[in-house]
Amino acid sequence: MLLRARLSNPHLLSIPFSSTKPRSPPPLAAASSSRRRPLSLSATPPPPVSDDLVRTALFVPPGIDRAEVTPSMVLPGSNIVIGPYAGHSQIKQVEFVKSSARARDCPKDHRPEFAILGRSNVGKSSLINALVRKKDVALTSKTPGKTQLINHFLVNKSWYLVDLPGYGFANAPESARMDWSSFTKGYFLNRGTLVGVLLLVDASSPPQQIDLDCANWLGRNNIGMTFVFTKCDKTKGGKKTRPAENIEQFQALIRKHYQEPPPWIMTSSVTGMGRAELLLHMSQLRNYWDN
């Protein structure tokens, strides 16, 4: 809890899209212009995001004075500043460790971990496979709600990626249906090795209330999160809304209620957009956690 308090941002205002009043999310905060992209390692450049959006949504990490932030320190396609805690981010080895039906059954070796959370069709498994560059590490399915357990994947024998059950899907078989409130929330509230949550949001669709409610709950419980916008290479519907437009709408809702915005980044598991940048962001969170 001390770590979460240090990584958390206390400047969150009440959020009207839910009945609860969250605190701000966690760790690092940064910003800068999106024109310069010297840190870009992605296979495909992310679509442009307005300068105004970037300037008003900076996430500056520990170890950096906001006045010292320069454009070259900001990860492209994000509002994340890279600071002194950023380090080795390459994934050389990954292995599935176990699936747990209860939080108390999760691994107890005290390694740091990142939980991946989102709606059932947001692309959680696809993102995991893209991060580790293996097609079948995490199960992908055309049937939303397939993940029904807490799945731990050990990366480089030093930290975990955790695939959690998706929320917002109720068509699973009755025997497999779960209460997300009691099952997944118990993990968040009792997992001392949790560095942060990667909250996945589908950028190909307009903002969804259920994602805002989830962010609200995490913030209220002082759980660090990074918004990971998925499917940034896609458009949906006849009007062909661009992912950047949907992201701006989502961020506009967040900016109204957070004095210090949470970190966010654009990704695509198809093109590789944001992969290297997200791993670099995770490295600085992980290294800060270790210290």
Side-chain angles (χ1 to χ4, degrees), residues 98-175:
K98 68 177 300 187
S99 294
S100 305
R102 298 168 298 183
R104 62 175 177 268
D105 296 329
C106 292
K108 297 178 175 61
D109 51 12
H110 305 296
R111 290 186 173 98
E113 60 192 47
F114 292 89
I116 298 182
L117 179 67
R119 281 184 287 131
S120 297
N121 60 348
V122 76
K124 294 188 289 89
S125 297
S126 295
L127 178 68
I128 293 175
N129 292 336
L131 288 176
V132 303
R133 285 186 168 163
K134 292 188 177 182
K135 293 182 179 180
D136 56 356
V137 170
L139 176 66
T140 58
S141 173
K142 294 182 179 179
T143 304
K146 192 69 175 178
T147 301
Q148 301 292 332
L149 299 169
I150 302 173
N151 299 305
H152 274 74
F153 300 90
L154 182 60
V155 180
N156 295 342
K157 295 188 179 298
S158 61
W159 57 278
Y160 287 110
L161 277 174
V162 185
D163 187 13
L164 295 174
Y167 55 80
F169 184 75
N171 293 332
E174 191 67 34
S175 60

Side-chain angles (χ1 to χ4, degrees), residues 8-278:
S8 293
N9 192 328
H11 305 297
L12 175 65
L13 305 180
S14 61
I15 295 183
F17 49 68
S18 174
S19 58
T20 53
K21 296 185 178 181
R23 304 170 191 169
S24 121
L28 330 175
S32 168
S33 170
S34 61
R35 293 175 182 172
R36 294 182 61 187
R37 303 190 174 191
L39 296 178
S40 179
L41 303 175
S42 300
T44 303
V49 178
S50 71
D51 289 343
D52 287 341
L53 174 62
V54 174
R55 276 195 293 268
T56 57
L58 309 182
F59 177 74
V60 181
I64 291 185
D65 189 300
R66 183 175 291 272
E68 299 174 351
V69 174
T70 64
S72 63
M73 298 166 66
V74 182
L75 291 175
S78 81
N79 73 330
I80 300 169
V81 169
I82 287 300
Y85 288 98
H88 176 74
S89 60
Q90 294 182 355
I91 292 182
K92 297 182 177 180
Q93 182 180 7
V94 61
E95 59 181 296
F96 171 74
V97 174
K98 68 177 300 187
S99 294
S100 305
R102 298 168 298 183
R104 62 175 177 268
D105 296 329
C106 292
K108 297 178 175 61
D109 51 12
H110 305 296
R111 290 186 173 98
E113 60 192 47
F114 292 89
I116 298 182
L117 179 67
R119 281 184 287 131
S120 297
N121 60 348
V122 76
K124 294 188 289 89
S125 297
S126 295
L127 178 68
I128 293 175
N129 292 336
L131 288 176
V132 303
R133 285 186 168 163
K134 292 188 177 182
K135 293 182 179 180
D136 56 356
V137 170
L139 176 66
T140 58
S141 173
K142 294 182 179 179
T143 304
K146 192 69 175 178
T147 301
Q148 301 292 332
L149 299 169
I150 302 173
N151 299 305
H152 274 74
F153 300 90
L154 182 60
V155 180
N156 295 342
K157 295 188 179 298
S158 61
W159 57 278
Y160 287 110
L161 277 174
V162 185
D163 187 13
L164 295 174
Y167 55 80
F169 184 75
N171 293 332
E174 191 67 34
S175 60
R177 193 171 300 172
M178 66 185 62
D179 180 353
W180 187 84
S181 295
S182 62
F183 181 78
T184 309
K185 289 182 180 180
Y187 164 85
F188 289 130
L189 296 175
N190 298 291
R191 194 66 177 165
T193 53
L194 180 63
V195 176
V197 176
L198 304 182
L199 180 56
L200 275 54
V201 178
D202 186 348
S204 66
S205 299
Q208 302 294 308
Q209 183 67 43
I210 194 170
D211 294 325
L212 297 172
D213 289 342
C214 183
N216 180 13
W217 186 89
L218 291 170
R220 180 171 58 85
N221 285 279
N222 207 29
I223 296 170
M225 63 180 157
T226 296
F227 290 111
V228 178
F229 293 102
T230 64
K231 307 179 184 181
C232 289
D233 59 306
K234 295 184 178 181
T235 58
K236 286 184 178 180
K239 294 184 179 180
K240 298 293 183 183
T241 304
R242 295 187 303 113
E245 295 172 358
N246 294 326
I247 291 173
E248 288 205 30
Q249 292 177 24
F250 190 93
Q251 290 296 329
L253 293 171
I254 296 299
R255 289 198 306 272
K256 288 180 180 179
H257 309 290
Y258 286 75
Q259 293 180 354
E260 298 289 341
W264 59 266
I265 188 168
M266 302 170 70
T267 69
S268 167
S269 60
V270 175
T271 66
M273 177 199 307
R275 175 189 179 273
E277 291 81 2
L278 178 56

